[in-house]
Amino acid sequence: MFIVNLYGRIGNQLFQYALGHALETLSKKPVFFSTDFLDPSEPIITEIFNIRLNRSSQPQLNEILGFRKTRIIRKILSHYPSKFITQNILYCDKNFIFNAKNVINIDNIYFHGYWQNLDVVNSIETELRSVLLFKDTLAKYNIGALQQIQQDESVALHVRRGDYLSKKNSKIYSLLDDDYYKKAISYLEMNIPNPKFFIFTDDPEYVFTNKIFSGGKFNIISTKKQGVSFNDFYLMSKCKHNIIANSTYSWWPAWLNSNPNKIVISPSSWFVNKKYSNNLIPNNWITL
């Protein structure tokens, strides 16, 4: 039995969900999802997609975690990730190598981590695309913007600032500058006819006052009154092309984008510390 801890925002949850399905496919063992670390103020992926989660029970957590069964103990220990998988351990994703040998011969594992790894996603890509279907209500709720996106040569452009400006995160994540967006916009203008840029952001004031996003070819979708964040997530996936930020929140819509001729542009640097690298960018995406 495997239990995957589901926590964080939409993008992180989807990587955790992908890990669970990949583990089940590899090992032929049941996979359950723990949700007791989820922030109640954040949406869960079942609100967006027509998927069902096999939730772990307290007895199942007790069986795997032993003295770690208490949420507060797991919270403390999650800051000290293990490097190796061992039986009945609170396991985080440091130095995780995703292959069958790591998981098939172990009976019980609790997986706690972000699991942002393209190998995991690629291992079950066909299955994943078949199950990650948006709920019909999202199309009905966003009908005006969706029609415009579908009729134009639409480009989803994601600007993430918000929490990246905090003292803690500013030491971890690169804050993308105007140069990245200028180069990305220019690349698409040279490679597709008459692109229309639909901007999704957690900092609309910054976008409204930034001259590089001015003009008729730009349409700012996100506002302070937008309300539910997964509407932006859904609309980004429906654009024909994507300019993503160093964020899983725009990575997944770009990956889910079903346009066979899509162009996806990604920043080459996701982290402040260059020694950290991530196996996230598909070979057919453009990095700038």
Side-chain angles (χ1 to χ4, degrees):
M1 176 177 61
F2 298 141
I3 296 178
V4 177
N5 191 24
L6 201 67
Y7 73 109
R9 297 180 180 178
I10 298 170
N12 290 325
Q13 291 177 42
L14 282 171
F15 277 109
Q16 293 150 4
Y17 178 78
L19 174 73
H21 275 269
L23 289 170
E24 198 165 61
T25 300
L26 273 176
S27 68
K28 310 302 180 186
K29 297 176 183 178
V31 174
F32 300 88
F33 293 91
S34 169
T35 58
D36 60 350
F37 272 34
L38 277 177
D39 184 341
S41 67
E42 293 291 341
I44 186 172
I45 52 176
T46 51
E47 296 179 61
I48 310 170
F49 298 99
N50 287 309
I51 55 177
R52 179 179 173 273
L53 294 177
N54 292 323
R55 306 285 184 97
S56 60
S57 66
Q58 192 59 49
Q60 287 172 328
L61 285 169
N62 295 353
E63 178 183 348
I64 289 183
L65 295 172
F67 77 92
R68 304 172 185 85
K69 63 186 178 183
T70 306
R71 183 181 182 275
I72 190 168
I73 293 177
R74 295 203 306 279
K75 186 80 171 178
I76 294 169
L77 290 178
S78 69
H79 296 292
Y80 303 94
S82 300
K83 293 184 179 180
F84 307 103
I85 293 178
T86 58
Q87 191 169 4
N88 298 332
I89 194 167
L90 176 67
Y91 178 71
C92 298
D93 57 356
K94 184 178 181 181
N95 299 336
F96 178 69
I97 299 173
F98 182 73
N99 59 39
K101 186 172 67 174
N102 275 0
V103 297
I104 287 178
N105 297 320
I106 301 174
D107 292 330
N108 295 314
I109 312 174
Y110 177 91
F111 288 88
H112 177 87
Y114 287 120
W115 316 108
Q116 297 172 8
N117 191 310
L118 188 61
D119 291 340
V120 175
V121 175
N122 285 345
S123 71
I124 52 164
E125 178 176 358
T126 301
E127 178 190 359
L128 205 55
R129 291 188 185 279
S130 70
V131 298
L132 290 180
L133 303 175
F134 288 100
K135 290 191 171 182
D136 293 338
T137 51
L138 287 170
K140 295 175 183 177
Y141 185 83
N142 296 285
I143 190 167
L146 184 59
Q147 287 176 342
Q148 192 174 358
I149 282 169
Q150 290 173 333
Q151 71 187 17
D152 290 330
E153 193 65 34
S154 53
V155 179
L157 189 157
H158 184 217
V159 178
R160 180 166 179 174
R161 289 170 59 81
D163 60 333
Y164 279 14
L165 298 172
S166 71
K167 185 176 181 179
K168 176 184 176 182
N169 285 335
S170 65
K171 296 178 181 179
I172 302 172
Y173 301 103
S174 300
L175 190 63
L176 299 178
D177 57 17
D178 290 355
D179 186 55
Y180 166 69
Y181 289 105
K182 286 178 181 177
K183 288 190 293 186
I185 291 166
S186 177
Y187 183 94
L188 285 167
E189 287 178 327
M190 290 189 295
N191 286 277
I192 59 175
N194 194 29
K196 299 291 183 181
F197 297 90
F198 294 81
I199 302 177
F200 301 86
T201 182
D202 57 0
D203 192 348
E205 288 84 359
Y206 169 81
V207 172
F208 276 118
T209 58
N210 193 318
K211 292 182 179 179
I212 70 169
F213 302 126
S214 62
K217 62 186 176 183
F218 296 100
N219 187 338
I220 301 175
I221 300 296
S222 305
T223 68
K224 274 192 171 181
K225 296 181 180 179
Q226 179 72 14
V228 186
S229 62
F230 52 70
N231 291 307
D232 281 6
F233 187 94
Y234 169 76
L235 290 172
M236 281 193 284
S237 76
K238 297 303 178 182
C239 290
K240 295 181 175 67
H241 311 280
N242 302 77
I243 298 172
I244 73 171
N246 49 336
S247 168
T248 60
Y249 183 73
S250 51
W251 188 97
W252 275 103
W255 189 84
L256 289 166
N257 180 346
S258 60
N259 175 18
N261 300 312
K262 69 183 178 184
I263 297 174
V264 178
I265 297 179
S266 165
S268 58
S269 175
W270 281 53
F271 302 104
V272 172
N273 192 330
K274 305 303 181 186
K275 76 176 183 179
Y276 295 118
S277 62
N278 53 347
N279 176 26
L280 268 183
I281 309 305
N283 292 331
N284 60 343
W285 291 11
I286 308 297
T287 56
L288 297 174

